[in-house]
Amino acid sequence: MVAFSAREAVSAASPLLGHIGVDLPLDALTTGMLGMLPTASFAVMGFLALPLLRLIQLEHLLLVALLLTTLGQLGRAEAPNIMAFLAFTTIAMLGIGLVNVVAPPLLLKYFPDRLGVVAACHVTLLGVSTAVAAQLAVPLGTLYGWRFSIGIWAALSAVAAIPWLTLLNWKRAGARSTTSPAKEGPPSRANAVRPWKSSIGWGMALIFAGFSSNTFAALTWLPAVLVDRGMRQETAGSMLAVYSILALPFALVVPLVVQRMSRPLPVAVLFVAAFAIGYGGIIFAPPASAALWVVIAGLGQGAYSFAFAMINKRTRTQSGSGSLSAFAQGTGYALASTGPFLFALLHHPGDGWLPSFAMLGAWLMVLVTGAIMVNTARVLEDHRPAPRQALKTHCP
């Protein structure tokens, strides 16, 4: 599967914001906008993916996503001004957003009998690349400049395309020599899955809104919060790496556990509690203990593994998985896109970031609400609206 992180671009940029400001001046408002770009771009691509999934093969969509990501990451590293930097960052995020959408149906297509194991590997690689990007951002920026430190990650997205190009070439060669097996075609209009008409669809959207608002606000602002509390910038960058990598233990376990639980609500509650306890410590505990509370808050990122695993747990077909993935991420990220921006807007000198973290606490309640809505053992395809012709037949 794709081995680069959906968050590495943000995690690499966050500890470098001060360095970027030397050449491209960034104020708090611009930094907040930069933090909004991932969720806003993911939302746009989620909505665009709904029709695209009916027209283009999953593998081709993935290659388009990798192309967008590579070009965007290279372009923003060479950006001559802030507007160009934001524009190329948006292109990269659109590509990453498309990867996020097509990953669940691709897993269901190629690994239907190993969903838990492969999903665990996929999410683990995301966590590894996020942590590595955060840890190396400042050292690479110091040695070679911030442009190199940000642009180097384009190499990973380019390399990730190679196995898929090989797979498509192999499939074309096989199709010419043998008869291809039947494939799942796009659903007809009468049988189309409509996640926006199901509590499963809206529950998944709230889960994505809740965890993404917290995760991206932290990836954007955690170093600034820690520096404001007296920590050195390099140490704050390392804390962001620690925060990111702490999703790994749960990434290995959560997809496997969720696949075996009929009602996985306790898993979601566990991550919400980790976020809340960590935030409380970061705000109220002595600054010397900040590392402990960053570790606890970082465990809350397991909510991403939970959300990712629930997409295929609450669907049974590729079309259902793709539709739910696109709607949940499009709607969820749209709702959460203001999180990093509001985190900065609510902060005033001397308030200890309390209003900002209170806003994130409200989003945690949204996450719990969504988890309750998808807790019942059922699948999206069972809530498909009745075709009009059938309604006419049964209505007097």
Side-chain angles (χ1 to χ4, degrees):
M1 295 303 297
V2 180
F4 71 93
S5 171
R7 300 172 296 177
E8 69 188 9
V10 180
S11 62
S14 296
L16 280 172
L17 291 178
H19 294 255
I20 294 173
V22 174
D23 296 332
L24 307 178
L26 295 179
D27 55 18
L29 183 62
T30 304
T31 304
M33 290 176 62
L34 180 62
M36 288 179 63
L37 279 180
T39 48
S41 301
F42 295 172
V44 170
M45 190 51 73
F47 291 129
L48 290 178
L50 280 169
L52 289 176
L53 286 167
R54 297 177 180 273
L55 301 173
I56 305 175
Q57 291 184 22
L58 288 171
E59 296 86 353
H60 293 164
L61 277 179
L62 180 61
L63 290 174
V64 171
L66 294 175
L67 176 62
L68 288 173
T69 304
T70 303
L71 292 177
Q73 288 178 322
L74 289 174
R76 74 183 195 145
E78 297 297 327
N81 53 57
I82 284 294
M83 293 309 299
F85 182 85
L86 294 177
F88 280 111
T89 300
T90 300
I91 293 173
M93 293 301 165
L94 288 172
I96 294 173
L98 187 54
V99 171
N100 289 345
V101 170
V102 301
L106 278 171
L107 289 181
L108 190 60
K109 179 177 181 178
Y110 286 97
F111 309 100
D113 300 324
R114 297 174 178 267
L115 281 176
V117 174
V118 179
C121 293
H122 173 74
V123 178
T124 299
L125 288 173
L126 296 183
V128 169
S129 57
T130 300
V132 169
Q135 181 61 47
L136 296 182
V138 171
L140 287 176
T142 301
L143 290 174
Y144 304 109
W146 69 264
R147 295 183 186 275
F148 176 86
S149 183
I150 287 180
I152 188 62
W153 307 107
L156 292 180
S157 52
V159 169
I162 296 175
W164 291 99
L165 288 170
T166 304
L167 175 64
L168 287 176
N169 288 332
W170 177 81
K171 290 177 69 174
R172 289 194 194 97
R176 287 194 295 267
S177 59
T178 61
T179 303
S180 298
K183 299 178 181 179
E184 180 184 351
S188 66
R189 295 184 67 86
N191 295 321
V193 177
R194 297 177 175 87
W196 54 90
K197 293 189 176 182
S198 167
S199 59
I200 292 177
W202 285 104
M204 288 301 305
L206 294 181
I207 291 173
F208 273 93
F211 88 77
S212 62
S213 58
N214 279 265
T215 298
F216 283 102
L219 290 173
T220 305
W221 289 107
L222 181 60
V225 172
L226 296 176
V227 169
D228 191 51
R229 302 211 70 196
M231 187 175 288
R232 293 171 57 244
Q233 185 180 45
E234 290 77 8
T235 306
S238 296
M239 285 295 98
L240 182 62
V242 170
Y243 175 88
S244 302
I245 204 170
L246 284 169
L248 291 182
F250 291 106
L252 290 168
V253 176
V254 169
L256 298 172
V257 172
V258 167
Q259 288 296 323
R260 289 168 171 76
M261 294 179 67
S262 59
R263 294 173 177 267
L265 176 62
V267 178
V269 173
L270 173 68
F271 297 132
V272 168
F275 270 129
I277 293 171
Y279 292 163
I282 290 173
I283 299 171
F284 298 112
S289 64
L292 170 64
W293 306 111
V294 169
V295 166
I296 295 175
L299 297 178
Q301 293 176 100
Y304 176 79
S305 302
F306 174 81
F308 188 88
M310 288 299 294
I311 291 175
N312 283 334
K313 185 173 180 64
R314 290 296 177 246
T315 56
R316 68 164 65 96
T317 62
Q318 292 174 39
S319 58
S321 177
S323 296
L324 181 58
S325 179
F327 174 76
Q329 296 190 53
T331 305
Y333 285 127
L335 292 172
S337 62
T338 58
F341 180 75
L342 289 176
F343 193 89
L345 190 64
L346 292 172
H347 172 63
H348 299 284
D351 64 13
W353 300 87
L354 180 59
S356 301
F357 281 101
M359 180 270 298
L360 295 185
W363 280 115
L364 292 178
M365 295 300 98
V366 171
L367 195 164
V368 171
T369 301
I372 293 172
M373 294 173 68
V374 302
N375 192 45
T376 304
R378 54 205 168 97
V379 294
L380 179 66
E381 289 84 349
D382 290 343
H383 296 266
R384 184 179 295 147
R388 292 183 179 180
Q389 187 61 38
L391 293 174
K392 292 179 180 178
T393 302
H394 291 88
C395 292

